[in-house]
Amino acid sequence: MPKEEFQSLDPKFAQSLVDIVASELKKNVNITNDKGVIIASFSKERIGQVHEAAAQRLTSGNIQEFSVSAEDEVRLRGVRRGVNVPIIFADRCVGVIGVTGDPETAAPYARLAARFVEAALQSNANREKLMIALKEKRELQTIYVNKIISIQEEERKKISRELHDETSQSLTSIIVGLRVLAERAHNEADHEQIMQMRDLVARTLEAVHHLAVELRPLLLDDLGLVVASQKYVEKYSQQYNIPVDIDFVNLSRELRFTPEVEITMYRILQEALTNIAKHANASNVQVVLRRHRQKLTLIVVDNGIGFDSDLSSKYGNDSRLGIFGMKERVELFDGYFAICSKAKEGTSVVAEIPLIAKKSKKRSLSNSKHVSLFNN
């Protein structure tokens, strides 16, 4: 912690130290700041008074232990008979702590109190250093993860467009060429063989289209999250034969968000529905996407077999990595993510992202309630 950050003692912190020291020593204790003003005292009425003896010493630069006699108590303002010891922290005097009473008796207590305060200041500084280091680490981690995700999405987008524009066109040309060859075939056997090849290429073209959409749907870039999500859900329902009810709340098809928000919510929807198809054995899924109070929330609920708190008992490594990825994406926005489930009661995934730059208090996933959109 830089020394310049400790130009003065915090009064609340000083008062808490005074209360502790006074309670332990059974003595009247006070602390002044580096100007000699009492900022904490067992006798609360003294707070704000100038301790003249301390102020004179601090002003003169004579930073050392000193006693206050009965005569000084009469002659000077804001002082009481006792011993005062400078509080040294980060190679400078940040204040003075005084213990009232007979100077000879009070001296050991005052020195002990000063060491205690200095130790408390050092402990507090170490804690602040640790908190700053942790904050910097989280910020660097966030930047690192965000960069990785951005690179991944850009690469996905590039590959998707290449598959859509180049590979798909080449396959389409092959299909047309095979059709022409089939029409020119000299016998039925050749015609049938060429048509089978054409059908194989057509299925490959369909698979390439599906892969391109999975990597990066053009609809997401061109028309936005609402349209892309609706289209994805329709194809998903057809592919896996699972009815999916989708509800958009306070969202129109024309509404757009930042590219980062749109791709994050789309990927979470994609991952959640994929997990349901692989593991849930569900007969119905409900998807809610809503905008409310500057927050965008996605809820995906299934009525499948669910799972216990130990994810590894029901889900494989790929799924747990997917869940971690969803959580990590949401945390980049200081959002809220929870996945809750009970055996035989289905699973709910909730992702909430603030649409404005705002730190949100993260809630513990272990305390999250299971979201149910189904009638029991």
Side-chain angles (χ1 to χ4, degrees):
M1 179 76 59
K3 294 179 183 178
E4 58 269 18
E5 292 191 21
F6 289 94
Q7 296 299 318
S8 61
L9 279 165
D10 177 65
K12 290 183 178 179
F13 179 61
Q15 186 61 53
S16 67
L17 296 178
V18 163
D19 293 339
I20 294 171
V21 173
S23 175
E24 290 294 324
L25 301 182
K26 303 293 192 268
K27 298 284 184 178
N28 202 338
V29 180
N30 61 265
I31 293 178
T32 76
N33 61 17
D34 56 354
K35 306 299 182 186
V37 177
I38 298 173
I39 58 172
S41 176
F42 186 74
S43 302
K44 300 299 189 293
E45 69 276 2
R46 299 189 67 194
I47 296 175
Q49 296 178 6
V50 176
H51 191 292
E52 275 199 7
Q56 290 174 6
R57 296 279 180 144
L58 291 165
T59 302
S60 67
N62 185 16
I63 309 301
Q64 59 184 0
E65 177 183 316
F66 65 93
S67 301
V68 174
S69 65
E71 291 77 14
D72 292 332
E73 190 173 4
V74 174
R75 183 172 56 86
L76 300 173
R77 290 184 301 124
V79 304
R80 290 183 180 177
R81 187 165 176 255
V83 174
N84 297 269
V85 179
I87 301 169
I88 306 298
F89 179 72
D91 299 327
R92 63 182 295 270
C93 180
V94 295
V96 172
I97 186 166
V99 177
T100 61
D102 177 69
E104 187 173 345
T105 305
Y109 293 108
R111 295 172 193 137
L112 179 63
R115 302 295 83 78
F116 173 80
V117 172
E118 288 168 356
L121 285 171
Q122 187 61 55
S123 175
N124 192 50
N126 290 338
R127 186 168 60 251
E128 289 294 326
K129 286 180 181 178
L130 179 60
M131 294 301 294
I132 289 174
L134 288 173
K135 181 180 178 182
E136 290 175 349
K137 180 182 177 182
R138 290 193 191 100
E139 289 174 350
L140 287 173
Q141 185 179 25
T142 297
I143 292 171
Y144 177 67
V145 173
N146 197 17
K147 188 67 175 177
I148 289 176
I149 291 176
S150 297
I151 292 172
Q152 286 177 339
E153 290 299 337
E154 193 59 36
E155 194 64 23
R156 282 170 176 256
K157 187 176 181 179
K158 179 181 176 182
I159 295 172
S160 176
R161 288 197 177 275
E162 287 178 354
L163 288 173
H164 186 272
D165 296 338
E166 297 179 17
T167 307
S168 294
Q169 288 179 10
S170 297
L171 290 173
T172 301
S173 298
I174 293 173
I175 291 172
V176 173
L178 288 172
R179 181 69 183 180
V180 172
L181 285 176
E183 291 176 355
R184 295 177 180 177
H186 298 292
N187 55 66
E188 187 64 28
D190 290 344
H191 180 274
E192 184 65 26
Q193 188 175 7
I194 294 172
M195 289 304 293
Q196 288 177 359
M197 293 175 62
R198 176 188 174 280
D199 292 342
L200 176 60
V201 176
R203 289 195 297 271
T204 303
L205 177 60
E206 186 178 346
V208 168
H209 279 158
H210 177 73
L211 180 59
V213 170
E214 289 287 313
L215 284 170
R216 181 77 178 203
L218 296 179
L219 280 177
L220 186 65
D221 295 322
D222 297 337
L223 298 178
L225 178 63
V226 173
V227 176
S229 297
Q230 191 168 31
K231 193 66 176 178
Y232 179 80
V233 166
E234 290 173 0
K235 287 187 176 181
Y236 172 89
S237 184
Q238 293 172 3
Q239 180 180 355
Y240 295 104
N241 196 28
I242 302 175
V244 181
D245 301 321
I246 188 166
D247 184 18
F248 296 112
V249 182
N250 296 329
L251 295 171
S252 64
R253 291 172 62 89
E254 295 77 21
L255 185 62
R256 298 301 303 266
F257 303 99
T258 64
E260 296 80 10
V261 168
E262 291 193 337
I263 192 61
T264 294
M265 282 306 202
Y266 185 85
R267 292 297 182 212
I268 292 171
L269 173 64
Q270 203 174 31
E271 184 66 34
L273 290 178
T274 300
N275 284 341
I276 292 171
K278 287 182 178 180
H279 308 288
N281 194 25
S283 62
N284 192 269
V285 178
Q286 293 194 358
V287 174
V288 175
L289 186 64
R290 67 170 174 239
R291 180 186 182 185
H292 180 61
R293 294 182 179 177
Q294 293 302 310
K295 291 180 181 179
L296 186 63
T297 304
L298 172 67
I299 304 173
V300 181
V301 183
D302 69 74
N303 66 346
I305 59 176
F307 55 86
D308 296 323
S309 57
D310 182 10
L311 294 180
S312 61
S313 64
K314 291 291 183 183
Y315 280 46
N317 289 331
D318 59 334
S319 179
R320 280 184 281 131
L321 285 173
I323 292 170
F324 177 77
M326 289 190 285
K327 183 174 183 292
E328 202 167 49
R329 282 177 179 270
V330 172
E331 286 181 347
L332 288 175
F333 294 88
D334 295 312
Y336 165 69
F337 175 82
I339 178 168
C340 311
S341 185
K342 290 183 180 180
K344 299 181 180 180
E345 293 188 18
T347 302
S348 61
V349 173
V350 180
E352 185 177 86
I353 293 179
L355 297 175
I356 55 176
K358 179 181 179 182
K359 293 286 182 181
S360 60
K361 185 178 180 182
K362 295 180 177 64
R363 291 166 277 185
S364 172
L365 299 188
S366 61
N367 294 328
S368 302
K369 295 183 178 179
H370 175 63
V371 179
S372 178
L373 301 179
F374 296 96
N375 295 322
N376 294 324

